[in-house]
Amino acid sequence: MKKIIIILGIIGVSICLLWFGLIYWIGSSFGGGGSELKPPDTIKTGEPTDIEFIVYATGGGGPIKGRFTDISLHYRLVGENTYKAIQPKSVAIPENYQEAAKKTLQYEAYEFTIPPYPKGTVGEIEYYTEMTFDGYPSRNNGTKKIKVSDDAKSSYDLKNNL
């Protein structure tokens, strides 16, 4: 009787270890991803506008390289019928992300450049981003509109009345 209890105990512990190991293995092979777009509040006509775009991956889906594809920014002046699409260029990871990037290797940085609008253009730009992460396409609408002006000041200048 004692031997049966010991054998059942060993089988039970083995099943539990196998079950939790399987859950850990499956869970660590998947991961999530996200992005952060940093548009300016205003842009000045006659000058191109750079917009920083950071993507990141979490979990155990492997290194980030190649997991984000088909990245694009679509924008238009409010009132225009069609969006214009631009692709980003890869850039260095911003300094405030460097420490996390060194530890996880799960960040990439990109930059979109909106061509200059002609002098005299006024209004607001609406936009969205599209990308594919691990084979799954997504679309993220912009959270705010970007003002277009001939005499745009940076948000820092506006806050500090410079």
Side-chain angles (χ1 to χ4, degrees):
M1 182 72 169
K2 196 174 188 180
K3 287 183 181 181
I4 293 175
I5 292 174
I6 291 173
I7 292 172
L8 289 176
I10 291 172
I11 292 172
V13 168
S14 298
I15 289 173
C16 286
L17 288 174
L18 181 62
W19 175 256
F20 288 114
L22 185 62
I23 289 173
Y24 176 78
W25 177 71
I26 290 172
S28 67
S29 65
F30 296 107
S35 64
E36 183 178 353
L37 186 71
K38 299 181 177 184
D41 294 328
T42 58
I43 64 171
K44 185 175 182 179
T45 57
E47 298 177 4
T49 302
D50 293 331
I51 300 176
E52 186 178 89
F53 187 60
I54 309 293
V55 294
Y56 56 90
T58 60
I64 193 170
K65 186 114 176 108
R67 294 177 71 187
F68 284 92
T69 59
D70 304 322
I71 301 170
S72 60
L73 175 80
H74 303 257
Y75 70 97
R76 70 179 177 189
L77 206 56
V78 173
E80 291 181 335
N81 291 329
T82 58
Y83 282 90
K84 298 174 183 107
I86 53 176
Q87 276 63 49
K89 65 179 179 183
S90 183
V91 296
I93 296 169
E95 193 171 313
N96 55 330
Y97 288 86
Q98 289 290 333
E99 194 61 35
K102 284 180 194 174
K103 291 178 183 175
T104 65
L105 302 175
Q106 297 298 308
Y107 289 86
E108 289 180 337
Y110 297 93
E111 186 176 79
F112 294 106
T113 301
I114 296 177
Y117 276 92
K119 293 278 186 185
T121 304
V122 292
E124 294 180 315
I125 296 173
E126 54 190 352
Y127 58 90
Y128 63 91
T129 57
E130 288 186 334
M131 70 187 121
T132 301
F133 175 66
D134 287 345
Y136 295 96
S138 68
R139 175 181 165 154
N140 298 310
N141 292 326
T143 57
K144 65 179 182 178
K145 291 185 172 76
I146 304 168
K147 291 179 179 59
V148 179
S149 164
D150 277 336
D151 61 344
K153 292 185 178 184
S154 72
S155 59
Y156 175 82
D157 292 343
L158 294 172
K159 289 177 190 170
N160 294 293
N161 296 321
L162 299 178

